[in-house]
């Protein structure tokens, strides 16, 4: 919800470079085990190797050591030569901005029929150049463990995001595109895909206050940039108002002592546990005491006032941008080119989904409530399933159903990460004639060897 997507030339998909890495994510071994290349070779894919690279730590370790180059110099993140150090993100963004500005100039200064026929391809390249940096920077700022890379990638993202909003409010680009589309000597030579790109891009321009005066267009750029900054700040500062909560040993009954061993602290009020992270969620699923579950749940869900004010500011700014572009709400503005089209359609879909699932949900709620009534046994428990009960009784219910099953569930074995990657490779081979081939990452290509 808080992440703005590449809006310029939305109809154009960012092209996949010849080689790209599966992006590292801390704590998720299978997602980061190999670089993946797209090949058009007609050879039969080595399915077993692809699956084992993702599913077997030992296989991956041997594969990486066998195929890794020990003599080549360190490369930048994702084999990008700029990203050998944090400051490289800024250089990469500036270089990209210069390249994009040259492309903009080509469109604005196009005068001959031949030059105007190239406008969709130039805008496609412009979109691709921006998306490559924006998407990469957005990922790195959210996941890289080094603060320097987080800050520099965030700065690069903000720089190009503002640049993109300026382009979306540049009348000359819209005028050139409209004239080319209306000119039979130009538009008639475009493919259907190019015509579709042009039409959707014109809709994007219209959503960016491009037909307003200079003052309003500048306000649109500034507010759009402000939205991105507030959204990033909101995500970065998300935290509960209380970092730890004190509970007695009796209240923590049911929680695995090994889970509490390293995360808990003893003091006069009892045992203190964190209100974020795996320990908190494990406690919520396993604590037998309802009062303790309630206190922990409320502590986990209560945000500081400053964070709530930040959210209100963010929502007000989005509403202002939407009104400036001629829409009643930000949701309406954001859905015009989506499948649903309108907020009303989205709400209707969600309400229909709720109605269709009501019976199944009610059955599960009744089963959980029956378990809760058994737990009461004369004790004071609420007579309904509360928000803080859901995880605890869903876990209990799942354990109960597993114990009654005569046959173990083997279905999950078919959906290991390696099997899914293997299936995707086969699907891409059948659809596009390409396949996934695992290769070991070069030195410096990822920030985690796993």
């Amino acid at each position: 919800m808080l992440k703005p997507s590449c809006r310029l030339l939305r109809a154009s998909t960012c092209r996949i470079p010849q080689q790209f890495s599966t992006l590292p994510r801390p704590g998720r071994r299978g997602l980061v085990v190999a670089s993946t290349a797209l090949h058009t070779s007609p050879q039969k894919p080595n399915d077993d190797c692809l699956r084992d690279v993702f599913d077997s730590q030992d296989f991956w370790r041997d594969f990486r050591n066998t195929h890794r180059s020990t003599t080549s110099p360190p490369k930048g993140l994702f084999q990008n030569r700029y990203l050998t150090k944090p400051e490289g993100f800024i250089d990469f963004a500036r270089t990209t901005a210069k390249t994009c500005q040259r492309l903009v100039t080509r469109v604005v200064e196009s005068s001959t029929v031949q030059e105007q026929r190239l406008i969709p391809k130039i805008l496609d390249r412009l979109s691709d150049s921006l998306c490559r940096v924006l998407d990469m920077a957005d990922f790195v700022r959210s996941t890289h463990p080094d603060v320097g890379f987080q800050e520099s990638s965030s700065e690069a993202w903000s720089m190009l995001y503002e640049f993109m909003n300026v382009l979306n409010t540049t009348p000359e680009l819209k005028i050139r595109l409209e004239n080319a589309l209306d000119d039979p000597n130009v538009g008639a030579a475009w493919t259907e895909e190019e015509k579709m790109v042009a039409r959707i891009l014109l809709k994007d321009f219209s959503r960016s206050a491009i037909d307003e005066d200079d003052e309003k267009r500048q306000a649109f750029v500034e507010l759009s940039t402000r939205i991105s900054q507030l959204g990033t700040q909101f995500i970065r500062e998300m935290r509960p108002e209380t970092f730890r909560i004190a509970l007695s040993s009796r209240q923590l009954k049911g929680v695995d002592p090994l889970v509490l061993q390293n995360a808990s602290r003893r003091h006069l009020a009892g045992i203190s546990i964190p209100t974020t992270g795996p320990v908190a969620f494990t406690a919520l699923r396993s604590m037998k005491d309802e009062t303790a579950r309630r206190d922990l749940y409320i502590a986990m869900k209560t945000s500081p006032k400053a964070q709530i004010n930040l959210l209100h500011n963010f929502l007000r700014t989005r509403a202002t941008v939407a009104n400036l572009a001629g829409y009643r709400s930000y949701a309406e503005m954001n859905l015009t080119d989506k499948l649903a089209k309108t907020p009303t359609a989205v709400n209707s879909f969600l309400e229909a989904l709720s109605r269709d699932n009501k019976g199944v949900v009610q059955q599960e709620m009744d089963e959980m409530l029956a378990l809760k009534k058994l737990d009461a046994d004369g004790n004071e428990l609420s007579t309904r399933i509360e928000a803080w009960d859901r995880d605890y009784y869903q876990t209990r219910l799942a354990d109960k159903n597993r114990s009654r099953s005569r046959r173990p569930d083997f279905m999950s074995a078919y959906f290991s990460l390696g099997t899914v990657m293997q299936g995707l490779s086969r699907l891409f081979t059948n659809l596009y004639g390409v396949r996934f081939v695992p290769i070991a990452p070069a030195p410096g290509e990822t920030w985690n060897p796993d």
Side-chain angles (χ1 to χ4, degrees), residues 41-48 50 425-426 429 434-437:
S41 168
Q43 293 178 335
K44 181 181 178 180
N46 189 343
D47 278 349
D48 293 340
L50 179 63
S425 181
R426 292 176 180 177
T429 299
V434 297
R435 62 189 175 94
F436 290 142
V437 177

Side-chain angles (χ1 to χ4, degrees), residues 274-288:
T275 56
T276 60
V279 173
F281 286 102
T282 299
L284 204 58
R285 289 195 299 268
S286 54
M287 282 193 302
K288 296 182 178 181

Side-chain angles (χ1 to χ4, degrees), residues 13-209:
T13 302
C14 292
R15 289 184 291 269
I16 302 174
Q18 187 175 11
Q19 289 189 345
F20 62 91
S21 301
T22 52
L23 301 179
R25 299 186 71 175
R28 298 292 298 276
R29 173 183 65 80
L31 294 179
V32 300
V33 294
S35 299
T36 305
L38 280 175
H39 291 260
T40 57
S41 168
Q43 293 178 335
K44 181 181 178 180
N46 189 343
D47 278 349
D48 293 340
C49 178
L50 179 63
R51 183 184 65 243
D52 291 341
V53 156
F54 285 93
D55 283 351
S56 171
Q57 177 69 60
D58 293 336
F59 184 90
W60 162 241
R61 188 183 299 109
D62 293 340
F63 179 90
R64 182 188 63 198
N65 292 337
T66 301
H67 295 80
R68 181 174 54 187
S69 172
T70 57
T71 57
S72 61
K75 299 181 182 295
L77 287 175
F78 320 123
Q79 295 198 26
N80 185 306
R81 62 187 177 88
Y82 289 98
L83 306 185
T84 57
K85 56 184 179 180
E87 298 78 11
F89 258 108
I90 308 302
D91 296 335
F92 188 30
R94 288 172 178 164
T95 300
T96 300
K98 290 179 182 178
T99 299
C100 291
Q101 190 58 57
R102 288 194 294 268
L103 295 174
V104 171
T105 301
R106 285 184 61 186
V107 173
V108 173
E109 295 183 354
S110 60
S111 56
T112 67
V113 170
Q114 190 61 35
E115 289 173 339
Q116 292 174 352
R117 285 178 177 176
L118 294 175
I119 288 178
K121 289 184 172 63
I122 295 173
L123 291 176
D124 175 64
R125 183 181 171 192
L126 176 61
S127 175
D128 186 48
S129 299
L130 286 170
C131 284
R132 287 190 185 196
V133 186
L134 285 167
D135 292 346
M136 182 188 298
D138 190 35
F139 174 79
V140 171
R141 69 177 179 169
S142 302
T143 57
H144 202 291
D146 184 271
V147 175
F149 271 103
Q150 293 173 15
E151 293 177 348
S152 61
S153 58
S154 183
E155 183 179 348
W157 189 91
S158 297
M159 181 192 309
L160 284 187
Y161 184 72
E162 182 174 1
F163 178 80
M164 183 179 67
N165 281 320
V166 171
L167 296 184
N168 284 328
T169 55
T170 302
E172 291 82 358
L173 287 174
K174 182 190 176 187
I175 292 171
R176 289 295 182 186
L177 186 59
E178 283 179 328
N179 292 342
L181 185 62
D182 293 339
D183 189 335
N185 294 321
V186 177
W190 290 349
T191 64
E192 286 302 315
E193 290 79 5
E194 289 172 329
K195 291 177 182 177
M196 184 179 296
V197 164
R199 294 189 186 102
I200 295 178
L201 181 56
L202 287 173
K203 290 182 181 179
D204 273 347
F205 279 132
S206 67
R207 297 193 311 165
S208 302

Side-chain angles (χ1 to χ4, degrees), residues 186-384:
V186 177
W190 290 349
T191 64
E192 286 302 315
E193 290 79 5
E194 289 172 329
K195 291 177 182 177
M196 184 179 296
V197 164
R199 294 189 186 102
I200 295 178
L201 181 56
L202 287 173
K203 290 182 181 179
D204 273 347
F205 279 132
S206 67
R207 297 193 311 165
S208 302
I210 199 168
D211 295 322
E212 303 294 339
D213 55 38
D214 291 346
E215 183 179 349
K216 289 185 177 180
R217 288 201 305 272
Q218 181 60 33
F220 182 90
V221 171
E222 292 174 355
L223 288 170
S224 296
T225 301
R226 180 62 177 156
I227 287 173
S228 72
Q229 294 170 342
L230 290 171
T232 301
Q233 183 183 355
F234 180 82
I235 293 175
R236 186 175 62 245
E237 296 180 2
M238 279 196 304
R239 62 176 180 82
E241 187 173 31
T242 304
F243 287 103
R244 303 186 74 86
I245 182 173
L247 299 170
S248 68
S249 299
R250 181 186 59 80
Q251 288 178 307
L252 288 168
K253 185 178 179 180
V255 184
D256 187 344
L258 293 177
V259 173
L260 299 173
Q261 188 172 6
N262 296 323
S264 62
R265 301 174 186 171
R266 290 187 175 274
H267 54 73
L268 295 177
I271 300 175
S272 169
I273 65 171
T275 56
T276 60
V279 173
F281 286 102
T282 299
L284 204 58
R285 289 195 299 268
S286 54
M287 282 193 302
K288 296 182 178 181
D289 189 291
E290 182 181 8
T291 302
R293 292 198 305 271
R294 181 197 63 197
D295 293 346
L296 176 59
Y297 179 86
I298 293 174
M300 292 170 67
K301 300 298 182 181
T302 303
S303 297
K305 290 184 179 179
Q307 184 74 351
I308 296 173
N309 292 335
L310 178 61
L311 178 60
H312 288 167
N313 191 11
F314 173 78
L315 295 174
R316 282 194 297 267
T317 306
R318 294 212 309 186
T320 302
V321 164
N323 294 335
L324 190 60
Y327 294 90
R328 288 173 294 181
S329 68
Y330 190 83
E332 183 183 66
M333 184 179 80
N334 223 31
L335 288 168
T336 53
D337 63 341
K338 303 297 191 301
L339 181 63
K341 301 298 183 185
T342 66
T344 301
V346 172
N347 288 332
S348 297
F349 169 76
L350 293 175
E351 289 169 359
L353 194 63
S354 177
R355 287 194 300 271
D356 290 344
N357 286 279
K358 185 176 181 179
V360 177
V361 172
Q362 189 59 53
Q363 180 182 349
E364 185 172 335
M365 292 286 288
D366 291 343
E367 291 176 352
M368 289 192 291
L369 184 58
L371 286 176
K372 187 172 184 179
K373 288 179 178 179
L374 289 176
D375 288 344
D377 193 25
N379 298 323
E380 291 186 6
L381 291 178
S382 61
T383 56
R384 63 180 185 177

